[in-house]
Amino acid sequence: MQLHLCAWPEVETYLKRSKGIVIPIGSTEQHGPNGLLGTDALCPEIIAREAGEEAGFLVGPTFNVGCAQHHLAFPGTITLRPSTMMAAMEDWIDSLVRHGFRQIYFLNGHGGNIGTIQATFAESYAPWSFDADPCPYTLKFRNWWELPGVMDVCKQLFPTGDGSHATASEVAVTYYGYPQAVKDVSMSPKIAPEGDFTDAADYRRNFPDGRIGSDPSQATPEKGAKIVAAAKKALIKEAQAFFGAKG
Ligand code: NI
């Protein structure tokens, strides 16, 4: 079930059997010469959508712009400042809590969001922490590539050149979800360099085509299907345990 494809009475009925929801959260940012700008939002969305359909839990709209300042030297990247993202996330959470949702699970697709998501959770809990009353809701976040078993599949499929940005794995997941968007681009060098960066300009100087440590030309829809299958299985198990009920 996807929230944005439901009518409100369906959400009201859902809340009688479950108080849990999964929100895919990601970024709109450059992902190298063959990776989609939406990669970090699409990966958690594709995985959550399939898991929600199979297990019958609700999946919210994707929070699809995150903290991507360091990618701004590449056209198409859109970012939120951390403070903007926190304010928006808090409003999403408060809206869902108002309706009765009590377990909100953010499935994240972007490493650059992690610090801001954790800070948002602390802000959201703060009024309760300073008060004697316990917080009536629980927030959880998980990076999709850290779901149990997923990394094993990625390593098996891409023993070299998976990398750390514009990875072969994440590009494969998006190619599985959107085979019409597959791009045939030869990489030079074959595997991108590793290294550090400071701000957006420095990033583009150090990594001219946007990749870090990866060869995403290895990505195919078939490989993406294997990653999604493993992630879906793990997400269903984890979300159901978090929601405390089947469904
Ligand atoms: Ni990414």
PDB file of all heavy atoms in Angstrom, residues 110-140:
ATOM      1  N   HIS A 110      20.716   7.762   1.329  1.00  0.00           N
ATOM      2  CA  HIS A 110      21.799   8.735   1.108  1.00  0.00           C
ATOM      3  C   HIS A 110      22.627   8.915   2.379  1.00  0.00           C
ATOM      4  O   HIS A 110      22.104   9.389   3.398  1.00  0.00           O
ATOM      5  CB  HIS A 110      21.177  10.063   0.675  1.00  0.00           C
ATOM      6  CG  HIS A 110      22.156  11.173   0.499  1.00  0.00           C
ATOM      7  ND1 HIS A 110      23.358  11.011  -0.177  1.00  0.00           N
ATOM      8  CD2 HIS A 110      22.133  12.462   0.911  1.00  0.00           C
ATOM      9  CE1 HIS A 110      24.011  12.163  -0.168  1.00  0.00           C
ATOM     10  NE2 HIS A 110      23.299  13.055   0.494  1.00  0.00           N
ATOM     11  N   GLY A 111      23.897   8.565   2.289  1.00  0.00           N
ATOM     12  CA  GLY A 111      24.798   8.689   3.438  1.00  0.00           C
ATOM     13  C   GLY A 111      24.851  10.105   3.996  1.00  0.00           C
ATOM     14  O   GLY A 111      24.954  10.299   5.205  1.00  0.00           O
ATOM     15  N   GLY A 112      24.747  11.103   3.103  1.00  0.00           N
ATOM     16  CA  GLY A 112      24.815  12.498   3.531  1.00  0.00           C
ATOM     17  C   GLY A 112      23.622  12.946   4.367  1.00  0.00           C
ATOM     18  O   GLY A 112      23.632  14.037   4.936  1.00  0.00           O
ATOM     19  N   ASN A 113      22.576  12.111   4.435  1.00  0.00           N
ATOM     20  CA  ASN A 113      21.396  12.448   5.253  1.00  0.00           C
ATOM     21  C   ASN A 113      21.525  11.965   6.694  1.00  0.00           C
ATOM     22  O   ASN A 113      20.734  12.376   7.551  1.00  0.00           O
ATOM     23  CB  ASN A 113      20.126  11.770   4.687  1.00  0.00           C
ATOM     24  CG  ASN A 113      19.600  12.435   3.427  1.00  0.00           C
ATOM     25  OD1 ASN A 113      19.998  13.538   3.082  1.00  0.00           O
ATOM     26  ND2 ASN A 113      18.697  11.746   2.745  1.00  0.00           N
ATOM     27  N   ILE A 114      22.455  11.077   6.965  1.00  0.00           N
ATOM     28  CA  ILE A 114      22.444  10.340   8.235  1.00  0.00           C
ATOM     29  C   ILE A 114      22.489  11.276   9.453  1.00  0.00           C
ATOM     30  O   ILE A 114      21.653  11.177  10.358  1.00  0.00           O
ATOM     31  CB  ILE A 114      23.602   9.307   8.284  1.00  0.00           C
ATOM     32  CG1 ILE A 114      23.372   8.228   7.219  1.00  0.00           C
ATOM     33  CG2 ILE A 114      23.707   8.671   9.671  1.00  0.00           C
ATOM     34  CD1 ILE A 114      24.560   7.281   7.008  1.00  0.00           C
ATOM     35  N   GLY A 115      23.450  12.207   9.448  1.00  0.00           N
ATOM     36  CA  GLY A 115      23.590  13.106  10.590  1.00  0.00           C
ATOM     37  C   GLY A 115      22.328  13.931  10.809  1.00  0.00           C
ATOM     38  O   GLY A 115      21.889  14.131  11.954  1.00  0.00           O
ATOM     39  N   THR A 116      21.733  14.393   9.722  1.00  0.00           N
ATOM     40  CA  THR A 116      20.540  15.244   9.832  1.00  0.00           C
ATOM     41  C   THR A 116      19.328  14.439  10.299  1.00  0.00           C
ATOM     42  O   THR A 116      18.513  14.932  11.083  1.00  0.00           O
ATOM     43  CB  THR A 116      20.261  15.923   8.476  1.00  0.00           C
ATOM     44  OG1 THR A 116      21.441  16.635   8.087  1.00  0.00           O
ATOM     45  CG2 THR A 116      19.110  16.893   8.568  1.00  0.00           C
ATOM     46  N   ILE A 117      19.211  13.210   9.846  1.00  0.00           N
ATOM     47  CA  ILE A 117      18.098  12.364  10.308  1.00  0.00           C
ATOM     48  C   ILE A 117      18.234  12.118  11.810  1.00  0.00           C
ATOM     49  O   ILE A 117      17.262  12.235  12.564  1.00  0.00           O
ATOM     50  CB  ILE A 117      18.059  11.020   9.536  1.00  0.00           C
ATOM     51  CG1 ILE A 117      17.712  11.264   8.061  1.00  0.00           C
ATOM     52  CG2 ILE A 117      17.053  10.061  10.166  1.00  0.00           C
ATOM     53  CD1 ILE A 117      17.837  10.020   7.171  1.00  0.00           C
ATOM     54  N   GLN A 118      19.440  11.807  12.250  1.00  0.00           N
ATOM     55  CA  GLN A 118      19.641  11.551  13.681  1.00  0.00           C
ATOM     56  C   GLN A 118      19.349  12.805  14.505  1.00  0.00           C
ATOM     57  O   GLN A 118      18.725  12.731  15.561  1.00  0.00           O
ATOM     58  CB  GLN A 118      21.067  11.057  13.934  1.00  0.00           C
ATOM     59  CG  GLN A 118      21.236   9.612  13.465  1.00  0.00           C
ATOM     60  CD  GLN A 118      22.680   9.141  13.493  1.00  0.00           C
ATOM     61  OE1 GLN A 118      23.607   9.937  13.338  1.00  0.00           O
ATOM     62  NE2 GLN A 118      22.872   7.843  13.681  1.00  0.00           N
ATOM     63  N   ALA A 119      19.772  13.971  13.997  1.00  0.00           N
ATOM     64  CA  ALA A 119      19.507  15.219  14.717  1.00  0.00           C
ATOM     65  C   ALA A 119      18.003  15.506  14.752  1.00  0.00           C
ATOM     66  O   ALA A 119      17.473  15.988  15.758  1.00  0.00           O
ATOM     67  CB  ALA A 119      20.257  16.370  14.050  1.00  0.00           C
ATOM     68  N   THR A 120      17.302  15.193  13.654  1.00  0.00           N
ATOM     69  CA  THR A 120      15.846  15.395  13.618  1.00  0.00           C
ATOM     70  C   THR A 120      15.150  14.531  14.661  1.00  0.00           C
ATOM     71  O   THR A 120      14.229  14.988  15.347  1.00  0.00           O
ATOM     72  CB  THR A 120      15.283  15.049  12.220  1.00  0.00           C
ATOM     73  OG1 THR A 120      15.949  15.853  11.250  1.00  0.00           O
ATOM     74  CG2 THR A 120      13.788  15.284  12.147  1.00  0.00           C
ATOM     75  N   PHE A 121      15.590  13.291  14.774  1.00  0.00           N
ATOM     76  CA  PHE A 121      14.978  12.403  15.768  1.00  0.00           C
ATOM     77  C   PHE A 121      15.175  12.988  17.173  1.00  0.00           C
ATOM     78  O   PHE A 121      14.254  13.003  17.993  1.00  0.00           O
ATOM     79  CB  PHE A 121      15.592  10.992  15.699  1.00  0.00           C
ATOM     80  CG  PHE A 121      15.126  10.165  14.522  1.00  0.00           C
ATOM     81  CD1 PHE A 121      14.383  10.715  13.486  1.00  0.00           C
ATOM     82  CD2 PHE A 121      15.435   8.809  14.455  1.00  0.00           C
ATOM     83  CE1 PHE A 121      13.966   9.946  12.403  1.00  0.00           C
ATOM     84  CE2 PHE A 121      15.009   8.025  13.387  1.00  0.00           C
ATOM     85  CZ  PHE A 121      14.284   8.597  12.358  1.00  0.00           C
ATOM     86  N   ALA A 122      16.383  13.492  17.440  1.00  0.00           N
ATOM     87  CA  ALA A 122      16.656  14.072  18.768  1.00  0.00           C
ATOM     88  C   ALA A 122      15.757  15.280  19.019  1.00  0.00           C
ATOM     89  O   ALA A 122      15.192  15.438  20.107  1.00  0.00           O
ATOM     90  CB  ALA A 122      18.123  14.450  18.885  1.00  0.00           C
ATOM     91  N   GLU A 123      15.596  16.132  18.000  1.00  0.00           N
ATOM     92  CA  GLU A 123      14.710  17.302  18.142  1.00  0.00           C
ATOM     93  C   GLU A 123      13.262  16.870  18.367  1.00  0.00           C
ATOM     94  O   GLU A 123      12.543  17.451  19.170  1.00  0.00           O
ATOM     95  CB  GLU A 123      14.782  18.197  16.896  1.00  0.00           C
ATOM     96  CG  GLU A 123      16.016  19.065  16.803  1.00  0.00           C
ATOM     97  CD  GLU A 123      16.032  20.226  17.796  1.00  0.00           C
ATOM     98  OE1 GLU A 123      15.000  20.517  18.441  1.00  0.00           O
ATOM     99  OE2 GLU A 123      17.110  20.839  17.951  1.00  0.00           O
ATOM    100  N   SER A 124      12.857  15.847  17.623  1.00  0.00           N
ATOM    101  CA  SER A 124      11.478  15.381  17.727  1.00  0.00           C
ATOM    102  C   SER A 124      11.194  14.797  19.117  1.00  0.00           C
ATOM    103  O   SER A 124      10.118  14.995  19.685  1.00  0.00           O
ATOM    104  CB  SER A 124      11.215  14.328  16.635  1.00  0.00           C
ATOM    105  OG  SER A 124       9.878  13.895  16.666  1.00  0.00           O
ATOM    106  N   TYR A 125      12.174  14.102  19.670  1.00  0.00           N
ATOM    107  CA  TYR A 125      12.003  13.506  20.998  1.00  0.00           C
ATOM    108  C   TYR A 125      12.185  14.527  22.125  1.00  0.00           C
ATOM    109  O   TYR A 125      11.759  14.284  23.257  1.00  0.00           O
ATOM    110  CB  TYR A 125      13.025  12.379  21.223  1.00  0.00           C
ATOM    111  CG  TYR A 125      12.795  11.105  20.454  1.00  0.00           C
ATOM    112  CD1 TYR A 125      13.874  10.353  19.979  1.00  0.00           C
ATOM    113  CD2 TYR A 125      11.513  10.604  20.227  1.00  0.00           C
ATOM    114  CE1 TYR A 125      13.696   9.161  19.283  1.00  0.00           C
ATOM    115  CE2 TYR A 125      11.313   9.421  19.532  1.00  0.00           C
ATOM    116  CZ  TYR A 125      12.418   8.692  19.061  1.00  0.00           C
ATOM    117  OH  TYR A 125      12.223   7.515  18.382  1.00  0.00           O
ATOM    118  N   ALA A 126      12.852  15.662  21.822  1.00  0.00           N
ATOM    119  CA  ALA A 126      13.280  16.582  22.889  1.00  0.00           C
ATOM    120  C   ALA A 126      12.158  17.019  23.836  1.00  0.00           C
ATOM    121  O   ALA A 126      12.332  16.939  25.054  1.00  0.00           O
ATOM    122  CB  ALA A 126      13.982  17.794  22.279  1.00  0.00           C
ATOM    123  N   PRO A 127      10.998  17.453  23.308  1.00  0.00           N
ATOM    124  CA  PRO A 127       9.963  17.904  24.253  1.00  0.00           C
ATOM    125  C   PRO A 127       9.544  16.797  25.227  1.00  0.00           C
ATOM    126  O   PRO A 127       9.203  17.079  26.367  1.00  0.00           O
ATOM    127  CB  PRO A 127       8.789  18.288  23.342  1.00  0.00           C
ATOM    128  CG  PRO A 127       9.382  18.473  21.990  1.00  0.00           C
ATOM    129  CD  PRO A 127      10.574  17.583  21.919  1.00  0.00           C
ATOM    130  N   TRP A 128       9.581  15.551  24.753  1.00  0.00           N
ATOM    131  CA  TRP A 128       9.194  14.422  25.616  1.00  0.00           C
ATOM    132  C   TRP A 128      10.317  14.087  26.579  1.00  0.00           C
ATOM    133  O   TRP A 128      10.069  13.765  27.742  1.00  0.00           O
ATOM    134  CB  TRP A 128       8.845  13.199  24.756  1.00  0.00           C
ATOM    135  CG  TRP A 128       7.794  13.503  23.744  1.00  0.00           C
ATOM    136  CD1 TRP A 128       7.966  13.874  22.448  1.00  0.00           C
ATOM    137  CD2 TRP A 128       6.382  13.544  23.969  1.00  0.00           C
ATOM    138  NE1 TRP A 128       6.760  14.113  21.840  1.00  0.00           N
ATOM    139  CE2 TRP A 128       5.766  13.911  22.760  1.00  0.00           C
ATOM    140  CE3 TRP A 128       5.565  13.287  25.083  1.00  0.00           C
ATOM    141  CZ2 TRP A 128       4.388  14.030  22.618  1.00  0.00           C
ATOM    142  CZ3 TRP A 128       4.189  13.393  24.947  1.00  0.00           C
ATOM    143  CH2 TRP A 128       3.615  13.775  23.731  1.00  0.00           C
ATOM    144  N   SER A 129      11.545  14.169  26.094  1.00  0.00           N
ATOM    145  CA  SER A 129      12.687  13.838  26.948  1.00  0.00           C
ATOM    146  C   SER A 129      12.772  14.785  28.144  1.00  0.00           C
ATOM    147  O   SER A 129      13.156  14.375  29.238  1.00  0.00           O
ATOM    148  CB  SER A 129      13.992  13.916  26.150  1.00  0.00           C
ATOM    149  OG  SER A 129      13.921  13.095  25.011  1.00  0.00           O
ATOM    150  N   PHE A 130      12.417  16.063  27.896  1.00  0.00           N
ATOM    151  CA  PHE A 130      12.495  17.042  28.982  1.00  0.00           C
ATOM    152  C   PHE A 130      11.256  17.001  29.875  1.00  0.00           C
ATOM    153  O   PHE A 130      11.184  17.711  30.865  1.00  0.00           O
ATOM    154  CB  PHE A 130      12.665  18.453  28.406  1.00  0.00           C
ATOM    155  CG  PHE A 130      14.048  18.713  27.899  1.00  0.00           C
ATOM    156  CD1 PHE A 130      14.310  18.802  26.537  1.00  0.00           C
ATOM    157  CD2 PHE A 130      15.114  18.850  28.785  1.00  0.00           C
ATOM    158  CE1 PHE A 130      15.589  19.029  26.063  1.00  0.00           C
ATOM    159  CE2 PHE A 130      16.404  19.079  28.313  1.00  0.00           C
ATOM    160  CZ  PHE A 130      16.645  19.163  26.959  1.00  0.00           C
ATOM    161  N   ASP A 131      10.303  16.181  29.477  1.00  0.00           N
ATOM    162  CA  ASP A 131       9.055  16.089  30.213  1.00  0.00           C
ATOM    163  C   ASP A 131       8.991  14.721  30.896  1.00  0.00           C
ATOM    164  O   ASP A 131       9.733  13.813  30.543  1.00  0.00           O
ATOM    165  CB  ASP A 131       7.893  16.238  29.214  1.00  0.00           C
ATOM    166  CG  ASP A 131       6.598  16.593  29.894  1.00  0.00           C
ATOM    167  OD1 ASP A 131       6.398  17.783  30.154  1.00  0.00           O
ATOM    168  OD2 ASP A 131       5.801  15.680  30.166  1.00  0.00           O
ATOM    169  N   ALA A 132       8.109  14.578  31.843  1.00  0.00           N
ATOM    170  CA  ALA A 132       7.997  13.280  32.525  1.00  0.00           C
ATOM    171  C   ALA A 132       7.231  12.265  31.681  1.00  0.00           C
ATOM    172  O   ALA A 132       7.394  11.062  31.852  1.00  0.00           O
ATOM    173  CB  ALA A 132       7.316  13.459  33.872  1.00  0.00           C
ATOM    174  N   ASP A 133       6.407  12.754  30.763  1.00  0.00           N
ATOM    175  CA  ASP A 133       5.594  11.823  29.962  1.00  0.00           C
ATOM    176  C   ASP A 133       6.444  11.136  28.899  1.00  0.00           C
ATOM    177  O   ASP A 133       7.274  11.784  28.256  1.00  0.00           O
ATOM    178  CB  ASP A 133       4.466  12.582  29.251  1.00  0.00           C
ATOM    179  CG  ASP A 133       3.453  13.144  30.220  1.00  0.00           C
ATOM    180  OD1 ASP A 133       3.279  12.524  31.290  1.00  0.00           O
ATOM    181  OD2 ASP A 133       2.862  14.190  29.922  1.00  0.00           O
ATOM    182  N   PRO A 134       6.227   9.835  28.706  1.00  0.00           N
ATOM    183  CA  PRO A 134       6.980   9.168  27.645  1.00  0.00           C
ATOM    184  C   PRO A 134       6.483   9.579  26.264  1.00  0.00           C
ATOM    185  O   PRO A 134       5.312   9.906  26.094  1.00  0.00           O
ATOM    186  CB  PRO A 134       6.702   7.678  27.899  1.00  0.00           C
ATOM    187  CG  PRO A 134       5.424   7.638  28.658  1.00  0.00           C
ATOM    188  CD  PRO A 134       5.307   8.934  29.423  1.00  0.00           C
ATOM    189  N   CYS A 135       7.380   9.566  25.297  1.00  0.00           N
ATOM    190  CA  CYS A 135       7.004   9.895  23.917  1.00  0.00           C
ATOM    191  C   CYS A 135       6.061   8.819  23.384  1.00  0.00           C
ATOM    192  O   CYS A 135       6.338   7.629  23.532  1.00  0.00           O
ATOM    193  CB  CYS A 135       8.266   9.971  23.054  1.00  0.00           C
ATOM    194  SG  CYS A 135       7.917  10.374  21.340  1.00  0.00           S
ATOM    195  N   PRO A 136       4.932   9.222  22.801  1.00  0.00           N
ATOM    196  CA  PRO A 136       3.961   8.211  22.354  1.00  0.00           C
ATOM    197  C   PRO A 136       4.337   7.511  21.046  1.00  0.00           C
ATOM    198  O   PRO A 136       3.664   6.586  20.624  1.00  0.00           O
ATOM    199  CB  PRO A 136       2.681   9.022  22.170  1.00  0.00           C
ATOM    200  CG  PRO A 136       3.141  10.410  21.891  1.00  0.00           C
ATOM    201  CD  PRO A 136       4.448  10.589  22.612  1.00  0.00           C
ATOM    202  N   TYR A 137       5.389   7.965  20.389  1.00  0.00           N
ATOM    203  CA  TYR A 137       5.748   7.372  19.094  1.00  0.00           C
ATOM    204  C   TYR A 137       7.233   7.023  19.062  1.00  0.00           C
ATOM    205  O   TYR A 137       8.025   7.525  19.864  1.00  0.00           O
ATOM    206  CB  TYR A 137       5.399   8.333  17.939  1.00  0.00           C
ATOM    207  CG  TYR A 137       6.046   9.689  18.043  1.00  0.00           C
ATOM    208  CD1 TYR A 137       7.294   9.927  17.470  1.00  0.00           C
ATOM    209  CD2 TYR A 137       5.421  10.730  18.723  1.00  0.00           C
ATOM    210  CE1 TYR A 137       7.892  11.167  17.573  1.00  0.00           C
ATOM    211  CE2 TYR A 137       6.021  11.980  18.835  1.00  0.00           C
ATOM    212  CZ  TYR A 137       7.253  12.185  18.259  1.00  0.00           C
ATOM    213  OH  TYR A 137       7.858  13.411  18.366  1.00  0.00           O
ATOM    214  N   THR A 138       7.576   6.132  18.126  1.00  0.00           N
ATOM    215  CA  THR A 138       8.961   5.696  17.982  1.00  0.00           C
ATOM    216  C   THR A 138       9.407   5.909  16.548  1.00  0.00           C
ATOM    217  O   THR A 138       8.666   5.607  15.603  1.00  0.00           O
ATOM    218  CB  THR A 138       9.096   4.190  18.323  1.00  0.00           C
ATOM    219  OG1 THR A 138       8.398   3.943  19.539  1.00  0.00           O
ATOM    220  CG2 THR A 138      10.545   3.794  18.485  1.00  0.00           C
ATOM    221  N   LEU A 139      10.617   6.432  16.407  1.00  0.00           N
ATOM    222  CA  LEU A 139      11.197   6.682  15.087  1.00  0.00           C
ATOM    223  C   LEU A 139      12.366   5.720  14.881  1.00  0.00           C
ATOM    224  O   LEU A 139      13.095   5.425  15.815  1.00  0.00           O
ATOM    225  CB  LEU A 139      11.697   8.130  15.000  1.00  0.00           C
ATOM    226  CG  LEU A 139      10.680   9.214  15.388  1.00  0.00           C
ATOM    227  CD1 LEU A 139      11.365  10.568  15.513  1.00  0.00           C
ATOM    228  CD2 LEU A 139       9.559   9.275  14.350  1.00  0.00           C
ATOM    229  N   LYS A 140      12.516   5.270  13.649  1.00  0.00           N
ATOM    230  CA  LYS A 140      13.627   4.373  13.350  1.00  0.00           C
ATOM    231  C   LYS A 140      14.192   4.751  11.996  1.00  0.00           C
ATOM    232  O   LYS A 140      13.443   5.184  11.121  1.00  0.00           O
ATOM    233  CB  LYS A 140      13.100   2.925  13.305  1.00  0.00           C
ATOM    234  CG  LYS A 140      14.154   1.878  12.961  1.00  0.00           C
ATOM    235  CD  LYS A 140      13.516   0.481  12.928  1.00  0.00           C
ATOM    236  CE  LYS A 140      14.501  -0.569  12.464  1.00  0.00           C
ATOM    237  NZ  LYS A 140      15.592  -0.830  13.428  1.00  0.00           N
TER     238      LYS A 140
END
